[in-house]
Amino acid sequence: MRERPDLRERKKQATQEALREAALRLALERGTANVRVGDIAEAAGVSPRTYNNYFSSREQAIVAAVTAHREARIAKAMADQPTGTRLADAVAEAIVRGYTDPGEDDHAALLLIATDPALRHAFLDATAGIEPPLIAALAQRLGRAEHYVAQVLAASVTAAVRIALERWLRPADPAPAALLVPTGSLPDLLRGALEPLAPALNAAEASRGNSARYT
Amino acid sequence: MRERPDLRERKKQATQEALREAALRLALERGTANVRVGDIAEAAGVSPRTYNNYFSSREQAIVAAVTAHREARIAKAMADQPTGTRLADAVAEAIVRGYTDPGEDDHAALLLIATDPALRHAFLDATAGIEPPLIAALAQRLGRAEHYVAQVLAASVTAAVRIALERWLRPADPAPAALLVPTGSLPDLLRGALEPLAPALNAAEASRGNSARYT
DNA sequence: ACGCAAACTTGCGTGCACGCAAGTTTGCGG
DNA sequence: CCGCAAACTTGCGTGCACGCAAGTTTGCGT
């Protein structure tokens, strides 16, 4: 019993998802403040203690319902980039795709997150999750020798994304007239945030030394 | 009673420092695990509740004893850079100075932090504190119009620093022979982490005032 | 010098995160 | 088909973070 051939794994993922969705559903029904961790656990059919084996805060579970597949999507989008693409473009494209969820926009959830400070924070923290796939993708493009560089660049990209999301979620300061939804153009914000990093990404790619080409 | 002319302020800072130092001292004397928040509060002469008005976790206080003046040092170091310096160099220099504490190395504390996972995490999180001063400094160099760019670059630099610190604190994987102290060359690690960002920083500086796009 | 409002402290109550040490399930080896 | 060890769940206990609603301090305006 050493591998992960996916049977136990399946059940785990199911539980995780059950918790996520229960958390979000309850948070939407009653306010965020009126959801106890026990409620979520109960709704998902596990003990409160088990809840904390999956999520280490109430907010994390709620946010995870929205964040769920982002990392995987970004990883895939990076892999899908045509080999000729300039690194900076590849990254920007992959990020935008990762944050452009096909079919699952869930405006209500986003409004909720944008509204509640604790949720906003948790949502932004979840951004860190995209770093590992980015490291992997960059390390591959730049070569194993440049692992440190890949790490730094991945961290920078992640940071830039965070800035974009922060701005995206920023509640309207001046006119409190409308209940402003986080509807700015996310893709534009993301591309704008990544643009300043383009020189760094492309420079790293250019100096990809003398190691033999892949393919 | 609207300003902050420094008298009440002084007392606040004193309390903060008392807490910080008490926290570190106790953590060093007994292990981290044997320090309750109440002990720290008592040692600093305030109520436990007040402790939490200053720090939102036990680890934060301990780490703060080491982190304390970093942000201010970096801000000053940035301001001190000769106006002719290339942005990337200015930033690298300022960061290195900020993390090179004159006279206060406190090996014991660093060992403690490097050892305990929770403390390590808190220490790395504290890195985020250097972002605001960096934003300010970069915004000044790049011009107010490029505030978004300044934010992104500051966040990237912060992320790079974090990577460097992570590596610095990484416990020795292969040979568990010696109790490895976090003694790598921090300055070198920092410069190495910042190098990949140099093209981005210099490019931003070069294009100061040209492109009128800030999505 | 006095008073008062803002700023800060404190006790209390609630919900929570998480280590630990049982129990229970899972699925591979024989 | 059986047994067993790793993986996962659960209850319990402890310390903790933080909102709230008093108290207490501070220092400006007059």
Side-chain angles (χ1 to χ4, degrees), chain B residues 78-160:
Chain B
M78 275 300 287
D80 284 356
Q81 293 302 309
T83 48
T85 330
R86 293 275 264 159
L87 185 49
D89 298 330
V91 168
E93 184 60 23
I95 294 290
V96 168
R97 285 202 203 161
Y99 278 86
T100 304
D101 199 330
E104 185 213 308
D105 258 313
D106 210 337
H107 268 244
L110 284 174
L111 180 55
L112 184 74
I113 290 175
T115 299
D116 184 293
L119 283 185
R120 220 164 47 221
H121 195 107
F123 178 74
L124 292 173
D125 274 4
T127 309
I130 73 174
E131 199 169 315
L134 283 177
I135 293 178
L138 291 180
Q140 179 157 4
R141 287 240 186 185
L142 300 178
R144 284 299 141 93
E146 310 283 8
H147 200 270
Y148 195 36
V149 173
Q151 265 187 284
V152 168
L153 292 177
S156 299
V157 167
T158 304

Side-chain angles (χ1 to χ4, degrees), chain B:
Chain B
M1 189 170 252
R2 192 146 296 153
E3 301 169 354
R4 280 250 163 222
D6 285 55
L7 240 79
R8 223 172 189 127
E9 184 65 13
R10 222 109 43 111
K11 201 165 188 184
K12 247 183 104 175
Q13 302 247 104
T15 304
Q16 229 248 19
E17 180 173 337
L19 284 169
R20 267 192 261 136
E21 313 244 307
L24 179 56
R25 188 174 53 75
L26 291 177
L28 286 172
E29 288 177 4
R30 337 166 178 179
T32 323
N34 305 325
V35 184
R36 331 264 106 251
V37 139
D39 303 340
I40 302 176
E42 191 179 19
V46 296
S47 84
R49 184 59 184 84
T50 293
Y51 172 90
N52 274 304
N53 290 342
Y54 284 85
F55 298 103
S56 48
S57 87
R58 203 169 75 268
E59 295 78 24
Q60 209 173 65
I62 300 176
V63 154
V66 167
T67 303
H69 305 283
R70 203 148 284 171
E71 308 159 23
R73 275 202 310 259
I74 289 178
K76 180 159 191 320
M78 275 300 287
D80 284 356
Q81 293 302 309
T83 48
T85 330
R86 293 275 264 159
L87 185 49
D89 298 330
V91 168
E93 184 60 23
I95 294 290
V96 168
R97 285 202 203 161
Y99 278 86
T100 304
D101 199 330
E104 185 213 308
D105 258 313
D106 210 337
H107 268 244
L110 284 174
L111 180 55
L112 184 74
I113 290 175
T115 299
D116 184 293
L119 283 185
R120 220 164 47 221
H121 195 107
F123 178 74
L124 292 173
D125 274 4
T127 309
I130 73 174
E131 199 169 315
L134 283 177
I135 293 178
L138 291 180
Q140 179 157 4
R141 287 240 186 185
L142 300 178
R144 284 299 141 93
E146 310 283 8
H147 200 270
Y148 195 36
V149 173
Q151 265 187 284
V152 168
L153 292 177
S156 299
V157 167
T158 304
V161 169
R162 190 182 207 277
I163 298 291
L165 293 175
E166 254 169 41
R167 177 158 301 197
W168 188 51
L169 293 180
R170 179 143 25 205
D173 286 312
L179 46 145
L180 240 299
V181 197
T183 309
S185 175
L186 218 211
D188 287 353
L189 282 171
L190 287 169
R191 288 189 202 277
L194 290 174
E195 209 174 276
L197 291 179
L201 289 164
N202 289 333
E205 185 183 43
S207 73
R208 185 164 39 105
N210 301 5
S211 61
R213 69 173 157 336
Y214 39 82
T215 328

Side-chain angles (χ1 to χ4, degrees), chain A residues 1 7-8 11 36-37 49 56-58:
Chain A
M1 190 170 251
L7 239 77
R8 229 176 184 122
K11 202 166 186 184
R36 330 266 104 253
V37 139
R49 185 59 183 82
S56 50
S57 86
R58 204 168 75 269

Side-chain angles (χ1 to χ4, degrees), chain A residues 9 13-14 16 28 48 50 52 74 78 87 102 112 120 129 141 144-145 150 156 164 166 168 175 179 193 202 206 215:
Chain A
E9 183 66 13
Q13 303 247 103
Q16 228 247 22
L28 286 171
T50 293
N52 273 306
I74 289 177
M78 275 300 287
L87 185 49
L112 184 73
R120 220 163 48 219
R141 288 240 185 183
R144 283 299 141 92
S156 299
E166 253 169 39
W168 188 51
L179 46 146
N202 289 331
T215 321

